[in-house]
Amino acid sequence: MPTRQLAVGLTPMETRRPVVLHLADRAEALGYDAFFVAEGWGHHAGVLLAEVATRTRRITLGTGILNVWGRTPATIAMLAASLAEASADRFVLGLGAGSPPLAEGLHDIEFTKPVQRLGAVTRQVRRLLDGQRLEPTVDRDNRPLKLALTPQRPIPIHLAALGPESVRLAGELADGWAPFLLPISGLDPSQRLLRDGAARGEPHRTLPLIAPCVPAAVSNDPAKALEMASWWVSFYLMNMGPLYRQSLLRLGHGHAVEEVLAANPTRRTFDVPESARVLLDELTLWGDTEQAREALDCWYAAGAQMPTVVLPPGRPIEELDHMLDAMCH
């Protein structure tokens, strides 16, 4: 059983429902503290988590993350309140600004002012979950409503944030901070931004739970571990909008990013050249079991309170089980 808080996360690209359910069961049996499901362009995260809630009894469940473009604040709040009830108050609401490909390519909404939208949605959702009426954005004849279903306990809200302003926003508003693909060397300077944000929040506000989402690439076959870790880094740098590239540039890894982009002239390859391997160490838990555990220890030492081990999508279930076993003991 893990002696420190540790969570499991799945990406939107893991669309095999039986695998998701199996991994939730397995994570609970192994003693993980939380299980997070991301939503993108496949399954409705709320439906999956409702099913997981009926199969589990202890583990915390959460959206990790839900983007703020595909729903109104009211539908997000209703989803959170419903999942909190279905899970006997084990639910955590994870929100994020998503990416231009998701907002524009799926929801047909212009990706503009993402930090402002994330903040506005978070504030409205918080109001509704606290039993208050919606804050109207314009004057209308109809009275603002509040939820008919009031959560029995406060529902924690985690924000995924990488850029400076969004990290400050997490410090100001969130109960947890859950960045994805943040380099471990960026954890300390980002915590300073969290403190800046907390200072502009409510008086005596404490820092949010630091819960970075770290991709896993664990195998006792060195070639397989390298292949998985290289896929994580190259895929997200090449295919998921500019946010991750910009974050790494800001945090001093510009040369390595350029090396990865040069090594992958099309989106059909996923190579990280030797000259950019620092990104594998900075961004992922990769290698054999011992190496991956040592990497996880480094995240705790750097300030992570509940790291989330993010499992690669589409891998054989035996490999995923091995990763879960390896990281929690």
Side-chain angles (χ1 to χ4, degrees), residues 241-299:
L243 177 63
Y244 301 111
R245 296 194 296 269
Q246 291 169 354
S247 174
L248 289 168
L249 288 170
R250 176 175 59 85
L251 293 169
H253 295 288
H255 176 72
V257 169
E258 292 301 324
E259 292 287 298
V260 173
L261 297 181
N264 297 278
T266 74
R267 295 184 179 184
R268 294 187 295 274
T269 60
F270 306 104
D271 297 325
V272 174
E274 185 71 36
S275 57
R277 294 278 169 85
V278 63
L279 294 180
L280 305 187
D281 298 327
E282 285 275 351
L283 298 171
T284 74
L285 306 168
W286 80 288
D288 61 26
T289 297
E290 183 178 354
Q291 291 168 324
R293 289 178 185 169
E294 289 175 354
L296 184 61
D297 287 340
C298 291
W299 279 92

Side-chain angles (χ1 to χ4, degrees), residues 1-288:
M1 300 286 283
T3 57
R4 300 170 291 192
Q5 288 195 85
L6 185 62
V8 177
L10 301 180
T11 78
M13 291 167 285
E14 184 51 82
T15 57
R16 299 171 295 173
R17 173 180 155 275
V19 171
V20 174
L21 300 179
H22 167 83
L23 293 172
D25 293 343
R26 186 78 178 144
E28 173 157 276
L30 289 170
Y32 282 90
D33 294 278
F35 181 78
F36 294 104
V37 173
E39 183 179 276
W41 48 95
H43 284 294
H44 187 295
V47 174
L48 274 182
L49 286 170
E51 191 169 6
V52 171
T54 67
R55 301 163 61 97
T56 56
R57 294 293 178 266
R58 176 198 56 80
I59 196 168
T60 295
L61 307 175
T63 52
I65 53 92
L66 204 66
N67 80 85
V68 294
W69 305 95
R71 294 176 177 84
T72 66
T75 55
I76 293 173
M78 288 189 290
L79 173 67
S82 299
L83 284 171
E85 183 173 11
S87 65
D89 295 316
R90 291 183 286 134
F91 179 68
V92 170
L93 176 63
L95 297 175
S99 64
L102 185 59
E104 299 176 358
L106 183 66
H107 297 293
D108 196 27
I109 297 175
E110 184 180 3
F111 188 84
T112 181
K113 298 181 178 179
V115 178
Q116 291 90 327
R117 185 178 180 98
L118 180 60
V121 169
T122 301
R123 291 183 178 94
Q124 291 279 41
V125 169
R126 180 79 79 184
R127 286 181 62 85
L128 289 167
L129 292 177
D130 285 346
Q132 301 178 49
R133 296 185 182 276
L134 189 77
E135 182 72 32
T137 55
V138 296
D139 290 332
R140 293 189 175 91
D141 293 335
N142 292 306
R143 182 186 183 189
L145 297 179
K146 60 182 180 180
L147 294 184
L149 174 64
T150 303
Q152 296 300 304
R153 299 177 185 174
I155 296 175
I157 298 178
H158 290 192
L159 294 185
L162 278 179
E165 279 309 306
S166 60
V167 175
R168 291 189 184 98
L169 184 72
E172 178 185 358
L173 299 179
D175 302 296
W177 172 52
F180 175 71
L181 223 64
L182 175 78
I184 189 171
S185 60
L187 199 56
D188 181 65
S190 295
Q191 289 180 71
R192 293 196 289 271
L193 297 173
L194 280 181
R195 289 191 287 272
D196 291 344
R200 70 189 189 192
E202 297 290 333
H204 311 296
R205 174 170 169 75
T206 59
L207 287 183
L209 178 76
I210 298 173
C213 303
V214 190
V218 187
S219 175
N220 291 326
D221 179 343
K224 187 175 292 184
L226 176 60
E227 177 259 322
M228 282 191 285
S230 298
W231 176 85
W232 277 117
V233 171
S234 57
F235 177 83
Y236 276 88
L237 290 183
M238 296 288 297
N239 294 279
M240 298 303 286
L243 177 63
Y244 301 111
R245 296 194 296 269
Q246 291 169 354
S247 174
L248 289 168
L249 288 170
R250 176 175 59 85
L251 293 169
H253 295 288
H255 176 72
V257 169
E258 292 301 324
E259 292 287 298
V260 173
L261 297 181
N264 297 278
T266 74
R267 295 184 179 184
R268 294 187 295 274
T269 60
F270 306 104
D271 297 325
V272 174
E274 185 71 36
S275 57
R277 294 278 169 85
V278 63
L279 294 180
L280 305 187
D281 298 327
E282 285 275 351
L283 298 171
T284 74
L285 306 168
W286 80 288
D288 61 26

